[in-house]
Amino acid sequence: HAYTQIGGTYENLKSIDQKGDVYTLVPKDVQKRAMAFLHKEVFQTPTWLYDKNLLNKFSKPAKKEQVQRFQEDAIYQVLKPSILFKMTTETMRFGKEKTYTIDEMLTDFNNGIWSELKTSTPVVIDPNRRAVQKTVLENMFRVVKDASVAPQPGSTSPDLTTTDIPVALRVQ
């Protein structure tokens, strides 16, 4: 639920006689709180879910843990080209003051993902956290690569070649 708030839009269906907009933005502060929640509860290693005494009773250590798949999916959802494109469109329609811009989102995202690098004391980054960081890089590189080519005619993929999305990702 949290990642759906980032770049989200509310649709308030109305009849002809009802006033007001049908489409409104998820408030910027709600989007920022959703990003903070993802950092705290998803992108940081949820060690309480890695109880070896419990896991060893029903899960082989040979395959990727379910928690890691959840983390990868959340990263994909936050960096999905269609969401980034939607955020760009929302900024053009509603203005920077009212929207959680791609630059703000990526800054908040990267500040959380790479928070260990901003401390003055040496920190050991656990293997699960490193896997999250690698997944972030892979997803960013994928979006930049995909943004260099316009989608084929008839594709439902957004055309990122005409946006600032690749530039914003490279800056980050």
Side-chain angles (χ1 to χ4, degrees):
H1 175 74
Y3 60 72
T4 64
Q5 301 303 300
I6 299 169
T9 307
Y10 296 130
E11 182 178 14
N12 306 303
L13 299 177
K14 298 178 181 280
S15 65
I16 291 175
D17 58 330
Q18 290 178 306
K19 295 189 185 307
D21 295 334
V22 172
Y23 298 100
T24 56
L25 292 171
V26 170
K28 189 179 204 175
D29 68 310
V30 171
Q31 294 184 57
K32 287 177 115 9
R33 285 195 325 250
M35 180 62 75
F37 174 86
L38 288 171
H39 280 300
K40 181 179 178 199
E41 303 296 337
V42 179
F43 302 141
Q44 291 292 333
T45 303
T47 53
W48 63 277
L49 289 174
Y50 285 106
D51 182 350
K52 292 175 187 87
N53 296 322
L54 185 61
L55 285 175
N56 291 338
K57 292 183 181 7
F58 66 87
S59 176
K60 274 193 234 181
K63 56 185 189 173
K64 192 180 286 188
E65 298 291 352
Q66 184 67 33
V67 174
Q68 194 173 4
R69 286 187 289 224
F70 289 142
Q71 290 172 314
E72 289 173 354
D73 185 54
I75 291 165
Y76 171 77
Q77 294 297 332
V78 169
L79 296 176
K80 190 162 55 171
S82 61
I83 295 299
L84 298 174
F85 187 80
K86 187 173 178 228
M87 291 177 78
T88 299
T89 304
E90 289 171 347
T91 301
M92 289 189 297
R93 180 182 291 187
F94 297 104
K96 287 184 177 185
E97 306 78 37
K98 293 184 180 182
T99 57
Y100 192 33
T101 67
I102 288 179
D103 290 329
E104 289 175 285
M105 186 276 286
L106 289 173
T107 298
D108 292 346
F109 183 69
N110 282 323
N111 284 340
I113 292 295
W114 307 104
S115 61
E116 297 90 351
L117 303 179
K118 297 184 184 296
T119 62
S120 59
T121 58
V123 177
V124 176
I125 302 173
D126 71 79
N128 188 63
R129 178 69 171 174
R130 286 196 308 273
V132 165
Q133 292 169 337
K134 289 175 191 174
T135 300
V136 167
L137 292 175
E138 289 167 1
N139 276 272
M140 285 184 156
F141 289 143
R142 178 187 45 78
V143 173
V144 168
K145 181 181 173 220
D146 291 351
S148 66
V149 178
Q152 295 294 319
S155 171
T156 58
S157 298
D159 185 359
L160 303 184
T161 61
T162 61
T163 70
D164 292 337
I165 294 168
V167 174
L169 286 168
R170 283 186 184 106
V171 166
Q172 291 292 328

